[in-house]
Amino acid sequence: MDLTVHDVDRFEASRSRLEAIAYRLLGSASEAEDAVQETFLRWQAADVDRIEVPEAWLTKVLTNLCLNQLTSARARRETYVGQWLPEPLLAGDPMLGPADTAEQRESVSYAVLVLMERLTPNERAVYVLREAFDYPHREIAEILDLTEAASQQIFHRARRHVADGKARREIDEAAARRIVDEFLAAATSGRTEPLVRLLTQDAVSVGDGGGKVPARAKAFEGALAVAKFMRGLFKPSKAKRALAGGSPEVYATTANGDPALVAVLDGKVIGVMCLEITAEGIAAFRNQVNPDKLERATRRWAAADHGDPLLHAF
């Protein structure tokens, strides 16, 4: 049926919230946009005058679309080339959603998005709706066709799974930025020892090239292995410049609320390195270089004021 301007406005009032929910559920900005668009088509086809609470109706439709998508995504990822990582969102992206509480900020962090891959689709949906958007269990139960008690049990189980995989306690923003600066200085020094001192003993480095950009299929594990990889990564060479098509500029920013380095070449984001920083040191590097997962980052980068680069890589 044809929607009135008022009906369209009612949907648009919920779009940002719907996109933020879908992104947390799917780990992909492009898939989140598709899910929200499909939700709009369902809204367009519905008898909207009979929908008493549009926000609840839209959330239920979107969540169930995402649950279906998660089920098929798991099958696709079994044949994914190399490591799979979420699509990073740069500072200021509205799809990051609410960030008023520590729980909301943490729920969209790159580390937690990776951990949520361990959850079942239902666990992920309950965790996101409760932890990030503070939905009461009564409403979550209605959205997912569960009992309220089941929703509570699923949430506690999901939160325990996520907590079990978390790194050690967080540190403040100023200390995190200092460590990023120290990391860059150490990575470009050509020496391994300064890097090892900045890492936790069980540090890891994971890269997602999607089969389109060279990225090691297996993670580097342990401080020494990660330090050697980082030393080599930041070592200039003609071969690297030829492969990249030039010498990328490297900037410090945040992605998903965490410290990050962004590599930019001719205005295009070609890599986002997310750092998981703890009081004990850098616990993880998660490097997204799959060009399919950097298109939104490039659009956001072009629209933002990002200052001068810290260095030219390669």
Side-chain angles (χ1 to χ4, degrees):
M1 61 179 293
D2 293 333
L3 296 179
T4 66
V5 172
H6 175 63
D7 294 333
V8 173
D9 287 344
R10 283 199 292 174
F11 179 86
E12 291 301 326
S14 294
R15 181 180 289 276
S16 294
R17 179 180 56 83
L18 294 174
E19 286 188 344
I21 292 173
Y23 172 72
R24 282 170 167 83
L25 289 176
L26 300 173
S28 166
S30 58
E31 290 179 4
E33 290 171 342
D34 290 345
V36 172
Q37 184 58 29
E38 180 60 30
T39 302
F40 174 75
L41 295 177
R42 302 285 179 95
W43 173 254
Q44 190 177 39
D47 185 354
V48 296
D49 291 335
R50 298 176 64 87
I51 298 174
E52 294 182 4
V53 186
E55 179 180 317
W57 187 93
L58 291 168
T59 303
K60 182 179 179 72
V61 170
L62 174 83
T63 301
N64 282 285
L65 286 169
C66 289
L67 288 177
N68 291 337
Q69 181 77 357
L70 278 173
T71 301
S72 62
R74 285 173 184 268
R76 291 198 308 274
R77 286 172 196 167
E78 290 179 1
T79 59
Y80 191 82
V81 178
Q83 299 278 343
W84 184 94
L85 289 174
E87 181 176 347
L89 297 182
L90 299 184
D93 194 314
M95 198 176 278
L96 289 168
D100 298 325
T101 67
E103 291 78 13
Q104 289 173 335
R105 293 189 294 273
E106 188 175 67
S107 71
V108 78
S109 72
Y110 216 55
V112 169
L113 286 178
V114 171
L115 288 171
M116 282 200 288
E117 288 296 304
R118 303 178 180 183
L119 306 181
T120 67
N122 258 15
E123 286 173 343
R124 189 161 181 162
V126 172
Y127 182 83
V128 166
L129 292 172
R130 179 63 183 163
E131 191 82 342
F133 295 89
D134 202 28
Y135 276 80
H137 283 290
R138 175 182 53 78
E139 292 185 22
I140 296 173
E142 292 173 357
I143 290 170
L144 297 175
D145 294 324
L146 304 167
T147 65
E148 190 170 343
S151 176
Q152 292 171 339
Q153 290 173 354
I154 291 171
F155 173 68
H156 291 308
R157 186 166 65 243
R159 189 160 63 173
R160 185 171 62 250
H161 288 329
V162 171
D164 287 346
K166 282 182 186 175
R168 294 145 293 274
R169 65 185 178 86
E170 299 177 359
I171 61 174
D172 62 71
E173 184 176 344
R177 178 55 193 265
R178 175 179 53 78
I179 292 176
V180 170
D181 291 339
E182 291 177 357
F183 162 71
L184 274 179
T188 55
S189 71
R191 298 169 55 224
T192 303
E193 295 79 8
L195 280 166
V196 171
R197 288 195 293 270
L198 291 174
L199 308 179
T200 62
Q201 289 186 347
D202 56 354
V204 297
S205 177
V206 184
D208 178 351
K212 299 183 177 183
V213 172
R216 193 170 188 259
K218 186 178 179 181
F220 290 93
E221 298 180 352
L224 183 58
V226 172
K228 288 181 177 178
F229 168 66
M230 290 297 164
R231 182 192 64 191
L233 182 65
F234 283 87
K235 184 178 181 180
S237 76
K238 292 181 179 179
K240 290 179 186 175
R241 286 192 292 273
L243 182 63
S247 181
E249 298 174 332
V250 177
Y251 297 82
T253 183
T254 61
N256 295 73
D258 293 325
L261 297 174
V262 177
V264 182
L265 184 63
D266 297 331
K268 183 178 181 180
V269 174
I270 63 169
V272 177
M273 176 186 288
C274 298
L275 282 67
E276 185 178 342
I277 299 179
T278 71
E280 289 81 15
I282 304 174
F285 298 89
R286 297 183 177 92
N287 311 308
Q288 184 56 261
V289 292
N290 183 346
D292 293 344
K293 298 182 182 181
L294 296 172
E295 293 178 358
R296 185 180 179 95
T298 293
R299 295 197 301 270
R300 292 292 308 173
W301 190 258
D305 180 12
H306 34 71
D308 297 325
L310 298 177
L311 59 90
H312 284 77
F314 312 155

